């Protein structure tokens, strides 16, 4: 009897959501989005492949993992590859082969499988040496590799394949080939052709925290992903965010009241689960370590620590890493936009850049590109003909770091 109560308590405890920030969450730590899951599952079942183009930290990877869980629950087989782990096309092929090898169908196409493994292992040692010779070897074998992969992919089975961080791999390959687009073009076309196999029961989810659309548009590759159904994940509604805070309270052994929760939402404005988690964790730390009182000051203090700390660094780093020639202009725009809560008009932004380029057409074109990129990547939103920071939290962080 005692034993039963004890295990029941443990079970109950296990069901509480843990506040896991940073890595994509899964299982019980994933909160909400029930309607979105049902909707996207329906899309998949109706034969669509899904591209999740939302800005970073919205929860794409976590959501895609949830879809894999759902698919597995329905008896599908699943494959998940984070393409950030692949630094070349060969490494991508190796990862994919490794995943296919774990599937029951591997036995059925074993001959192709063995051939594929042989080619990969013959290429690998030369790869570590590097240089032009390797690229030649790879070129020679490439069509064989893709042919064998095509033979192994089980189009007659219900399989959900999730590729995360697609643009990171594409960028890597592009850099490696000194900007020559052909290799990524061929890869993207090959992947598209797999999605076109008639009667295929394989479904695909592509995610990318580097705006995949920025990438494909920038390299005239949009048509290689035009068959996807786009599904844009949104931030949480106030109701969902409040329920999430309540769940976090249960898991974290703290209790806020309605007012505090409302203050948290008001402060964040843009309700990404990640921001909610970070704010919650800061507040919890202050209560449990610094014996802070649960009052209005608590939310403000926690918030201020976030905008002064390292939590949001990736918003700065990604821009620096991925905006190439556009970097300086992006910083210039954001430095000005973060000063204005309501945002800035396009013509004012135009004037800013014009001072640098003194050429109206050129300024127009650069501004259009940048505003598009910054919106796709979740920095900016457009409202009433004004461009403003999508999240007050990021805006305050930006102001703090680059203006104050
Ligand atoms: N539905 C969710 N429930 C709980 N936490 C979430 C959820 N979605 C996202 N998160 C949190 O936000 C963070 C970022 O989510 P992630 O899925 O990695 O976003 P993305 O892939 O869009 O960058 C995760 O580390 C996790 O802490
Ligand atoms: Mg992700």
């Amino acid at each position: 009897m005692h034993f039963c109560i004890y295990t029941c308590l443990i079970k109950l405890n296990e069901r509480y959501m843990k506040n896991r920030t940073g890595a994509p969450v899964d299982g019980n730590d994933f909160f909400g989005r029930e309607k979105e899951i049902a909707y996207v599952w329906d899309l998949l079942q109706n034969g669509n492949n899904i591209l999740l183009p939302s800005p970073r930290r919205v929860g794409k990877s976590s959501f895609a993992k949830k879809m894999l869980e759902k698919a597995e629950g329905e008896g599908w087989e699943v494959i998940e590859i984070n393409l950030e782990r692949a630094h070349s096309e060969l490494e991508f092929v190796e990862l994919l082969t490794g995943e296919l090898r774990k599937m029951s169908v591997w036995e059925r196409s074993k001959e192709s499988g063995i051939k594929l493994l042989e080619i990969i292992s013959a290429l690998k040692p030369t790869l570590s040496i590097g240089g032009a010779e390797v690229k030649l070897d790879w070129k020679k074998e490439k069509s064989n590799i893709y042919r064998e992969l095509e033979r192994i992919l089980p189009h007659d089975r219900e399989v959900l394949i999730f590729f995360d961080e697609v643009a990171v791999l594409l960028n890597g390959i592009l850099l490696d080939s000194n900007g020559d687009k052909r290799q990524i073009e061929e890869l993207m076309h090959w992947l598209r052709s797999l999605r076109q196999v008639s009667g295929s029961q394989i479904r695909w989810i592509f995610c990318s925290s580097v705006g995949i659309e920025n990438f494909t548009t920038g390299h005239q590759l949009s048509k290689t992903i035009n068959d996807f159904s786009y599904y844009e994940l949104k931030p949480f509604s106030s109701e969902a965010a409040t329920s999430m805070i309540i769940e976090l309270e249960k898991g974290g052994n703290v209790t806020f009241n309605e007012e505090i929760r409302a203050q948290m939402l008001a402060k964040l404005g843009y309700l990404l689960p990640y921001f909610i988690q970070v704010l919650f964790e800061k507040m919890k730390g202050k209560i449990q370590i610094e014996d802070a009182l649960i009052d209005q000051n608590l939310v403000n203090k926690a918030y201020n620590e976030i905008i002064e700390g390292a939590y949001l660094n990736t918003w700065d780093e990604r821009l620096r890493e991925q905006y190439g020639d556009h970097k300086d202009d992006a910083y210039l725009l954001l430095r000005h936009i973060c000063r204005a809560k309501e945002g800035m008009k396009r013509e004012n932004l135009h004037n800013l850049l014009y001072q640098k380029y003194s050429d109206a057409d050129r300024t127009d074109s650069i501004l259009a590109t940048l505003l598009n990129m910054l919106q796709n990547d979740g920095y900016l939103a457009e409202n009433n003909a004004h461009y403003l920071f999508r999240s007050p939290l990021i805006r305050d962080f930006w102001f703090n770091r680059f203006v104050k």
Side-chain angles (χ1 to χ4, degrees):
M1 178 67 182
H2 264 77
F3 177 73
C4 172
I5 292 173
Y6 186 63
T7 44
C8 290
L9 276 175
I10 290 181
K11 285 243 160 68
L12 261 178
N13 204 25
E14 270 173 8
R15 284 197 359 239
Y16 286 142
M17 197 176 132
K18 289 196 291 286
N19 193 18
R20 270 171 49 196
T21 53
V25 289
D26 51 18
N28 286 340
D29 300 329
F30 183 92
F31 182 82
R33 301 226 190 262
E34 292 86 2
K35 285 185 192 156
E36 286 103 318
I37 294 166
Y39 180 81
V40 170
W41 179 244
D42 221 40
L43 280 175
L44 287 167
Q45 280 196 309
N46 290 338
N48 299 284
N49 298 302
I50 310 293
L51 184 75
L52 297 172
S54 311
R56 75 185 52 108
R57 293 294 195 202
V58 169
K60 299 177 299 296
S61 300
S62 305
F63 183 77
K65 278 174 180 288
K66 199 70 191 170
M67 294 313 303
L68 293 183
E69 264 177 43
K70 167 90 182 154
E72 263 186 315
E74 303 279 340
W76 290 35
E77 291 194 77
V78 301
I79 287 180
E80 174 184 358
I81 301 179
N82 186 347
L83 297 182
E84 233 167 9
R85 290 172 50 213
H87 303 100
S88 65
E89 205 173 340
L90 179 60
E91 281 183 17
F92 159 67
V93 165
E94 206 183 353
L95 285 173
L96 180 56
T97 308
E99 289 301 312
L100 290 169
R101 206 173 169 182
K102 293 182 203 156
M103 295 178 74
S104 56
V105 290
W106 180 261
E107 282 303 314
R108 170 174 98 172
S109 40
K110 210 162 180 184
E111 218 174 288
S112 287
I114 290 170
K115 230 188 261 175
L116 190 55
L117 290 175
E118 277 172 6
I119 307 176
I120 293 174
S121 60
L123 280 175
K124 258 182 75 169
T126 50
L127 184 89
S128 56
I129 301 165
E133 224 172 282
V134 184
K135 287 184 183 140
L136 258 178
D137 283 348
W138 162 253
K139 250 190 203 154
K140 261 199 308 213
E141 293 293 0
K142 189 169 153 171
S143 53
N144 294 332
I145 286 183
Y146 284 121
R147 193 182 51 238
E148 299 309 335
L149 274 175
E150 278 162 29
R151 287 185 180 146
I152 300 168
L153 279 161
H155 289 285
D156 58 337
R157 302 285 175 93
E158 288 175 320
V159 184
L160 183 56
I161 302 183
F162 164 37
F163 285 167
D164 206 353
E165 301 297 0
V166 177
V168 173
L169 173 68
L170 297 179
N171 254 325
I173 298 175
L174 193 64
L175 275 178
D176 195 44
S177 44
N178 293 325
D180 181 355
K181 261 183 2 200
R182 268 173 302 182
Q183 218 175 319
I184 50 170
E185 225 165 46
E186 281 169 22
L187 177 59
M188 291 299 276
H189 278 291
W190 181 72
L191 288 169
R192 188 177 194 278
S193 74
L194 297 178
R195 301 191 297 270
Q196 308 295 320
V197 170
S198 113
S200 174
Q201 304 216 56
I202 301 179
R203 297 288 170 269
W204 306 79
I205 297 182
F206 277 28
C207 265
S208 195
S209 64
V210 184
I212 179 92
E213 287 164 297
N214 289 348
F215 186 89
T216 51
T217 316
H219 295 96
Q220 294 88 44
L221 288 170
S222 300
K223 70 171 185 294
T224 64
I225 54 167
N226 66 3
D227 57 308
F228 274 107
S229 290
Y230 284 44
Y231 183 71
E232 194 178 336
L233 271 184
K234 294 279 178 348
F236 278 0
S237 64
S238 301
E239 293 74 33
T242 307
S243 309
M244 182 175 176
I245 295 172
I246 294 172
E247 282 310 301
L248 289 171
E249 290 170 33
K250 289 180 196 159
N253 275 326
V254 288
T255 311
F256 301 151
N257 57 36
E258 256 173 55
E259 248 182 313
I260 298 284
R261 288 177 206 128
Q263 200 195 345
M264 290 169 74
L265 303 200
K267 207 70 196 155
L268 290 176
Y270 181 60
L271 301 174
L272 294 192
Y274 177 69
F275 293 163
I276 296 168
Q277 288 177 331
V278 169
L279 182 59
F280 174 85
E281 202 52 46
K282 266 275 171 235
M283 290 166 65
K284 182 178 154 220
K286 295 189 121 4
I287 297 165
Q288 295 180 347
I289 301 167
E290 300 167 25
D291 296 322
L293 296 174
I294 301 179
D295 59 14
Q296 299 236 327
N297 272 335
L298 176 65
V299 182
N300 290 332
K301 276 195 199 146
Y303 184 90
N304 290 339
E305 278 185 23
I306 294 168
I307 59 173
E308 281 158 17
Y311 284 94
L312 304 173
N313 277 354
T314 98
W315 290 79
D316 173 19
E317 285 159 12
R318 299 265 175 156
L319 203 67
R320 224 176 309 148
E321 286 159 13
Q322 274 135 20
Y323 272 55
D325 294 342
H326 292 302
K327 190 177 57 190
D328 293 344
D329 293 338
Y331 276 97
L332 177 71
L333 293 180
L334 294 180
R335 234 182 4 254
H336 280 81
I337 296 174
C338 76
R339 292 177 220 212
K341 265 197 177 132
E342 313 296 324
M344 285 176 70
K345 281 191 179 156
R346 198 181 180 111
E347 62 192 70
N348 295 338
L349 298 172
H350 186 280
N351 290 342
L352 269 177
L353 287 179
Y354 185 78
Q355 287 170 21
K356 178 169 165 190
Y357 292 104
S358 313
D359 173 338
D361 285 345
R362 180 141 183 246
T363 303
D364 255 349
S365 136
I366 292 172
L367 183 62
T369 306
L370 270 173
L371 288 177
N372 196 20
M373 287 171 82
L374 290 167
Q375 284 183 87
N376 281 345
D377 283 338
Y379 289 84
L380 297 183
E382 193 187 344
N383 189 22
N384 275 334
H386 283 66
Y387 292 88
L388 69 161
F389 267 78
R390 195 187 279 250
S391 147
L393 184 67
I394 304 294
R395 186 195 63 224
D396 290 341
F397 162 76
W398 212 266
F399 182 83
N400 212 53
R401 178 153 301 188
F402 296 106
V403 180
K404 199 171 85 177

